[in-house]
Amino acid sequence: MRKLSGQGLMEDLGLPYFRTISTFGALTDTTVVHLIRSGEVLALDPGEVLFEAGEPSDGFYVILKGQMAFHKYHQGHYGFIRNYHFGENIGFVGMIALHRRIGRARAVEDVIVVKISTRLFNDLYESNTQEFATLLMNLSRDMARGLRAVDNLVVEHSYAAEVAAGASANAGADESARAEAVEIAESGAFVEVRRPAGLH
């Protein structure tokens, strides 16, 4: 992981590039430029870790290029939650909830992020309440979209478990019927069919 110049990145990519980022939606050009120049711009190679579970949540990151995979840590294990893509933010929940990082963020490909520290976030509130409110709305919207994506995964896993349970129950019933048939055959039991008198 290496630091990049926010000013240099702004010159290389141009302001219109940053205007397409959902986290910066509806912010003024001045605010977008300020966040990029004042934030900490970082470049990661595929596989590099941005943050680990247990680290302080001293800010959040906006993905300026590439995508990050997030794995949540729980009871000694990491579980994949979802990928975060260009324009989304990662780490905001931990910062706003005032708890440490709850998982690992790892670069899936070449990634560039800008870190909006707690101090920079608070400075925007103090200097421009309207722009702060707009940024907070964007962050809340992204968080809601993330929750919807996670909910969809829960539904998919729940449905898959129900299908698997149903298939298992049917398989159990079939196996029980086969076992009963084998038991009858092995015992020599049979059903006698009597032909009615007069019928040949």
Side-chain angles (χ1 to χ4, degrees):
M1 186 161 49
R2 61 192 185 279
K3 292 185 179 182
L4 300 178
S5 164
Q7 175 64 32
L9 189 67
M10 182 68 70
E11 292 174 356
D12 290 342
L13 299 178
L15 183 59
Y17 177 88
F18 296 96
R19 301 293 329 164
T20 65
I21 293 174
S22 61
T23 303
F24 297 152
L27 293 175
T28 64
D29 291 350
T30 301
T31 299
V32 173
V33 171
H34 171 66
L35 292 175
I36 298 299
R37 288 179 176 173
S38 302
E40 184 179 9
V41 180
L42 302 168
L44 296 89
D45 294 324
E48 279 196 282
V49 173
L50 179 62
F51 59 74
E52 269 286 6
E55 294 179 357
S57 297
D58 56 351
F60 64 92
Y61 301 86
V62 181
I63 301 175
L64 306 179
K65 175 186 176 184
Q67 60 178 321
M68 305 286 302
F70 182 71
H71 290 77
K72 189 176 185 296
Y73 182 80
H74 181 64
Q75 295 185 347
H77 303 284
Y78 281 94
F80 175 73
I81 298 299
R82 73 180 184 94
N83 283 340
Y84 286 74
H85 303 275
F86 165 77
E88 293 185 295
N89 67 85
I90 186 168
F92 174 70
V93 174
M95 186 197 79
I96 207 70
L98 301 177
H99 60 64
R100 290 181 174 271
R101 304 294 185 196
I102 59 172
R104 174 190 298 139
R106 185 190 298 275
V108 175
E109 54 196 16
D110 289 335
V111 167
I112 297 177
V113 299
V114 59
K115 180 179 181 180
I116 309 299
S117 67
T118 305
R119 175 178 293 181
L120 181 57
F121 191 64
N122 290 337
D123 287 347
L124 181 62
Y125 168 74
E126 293 177 357
S127 63
N128 195 324
T129 306
Q130 181 60 47
E131 287 292 275
F132 176 83
T134 300
L135 177 60
L136 189 58
M137 188 188 319
N138 293 340
L139 292 166
S140 300
R141 185 181 297 113
D142 279 354
M143 184 167 60
R145 289 169 178 164
L147 289 173
R148 182 178 62 186
V150 172
D151 286 346
N152 289 343
L153 288 175
V154 171
V155 171
E156 290 173 10
H157 285 292
S158 177
Y159 177 72
E162 289 178 8
V163 171
S168 178
N170 290 337
D174 291 344
E175 184 61 32
S176 178
R178 283 195 295 271
E180 184 178 353
V182 169
E183 184 178 350
I184 291 173
E186 289 179 346
S187 68
F190 64 92
V191 178
E192 183 179 0
V193 179
R194 296 185 179 275
R195 181 176 299 174
L199 295 181
H200 301 283

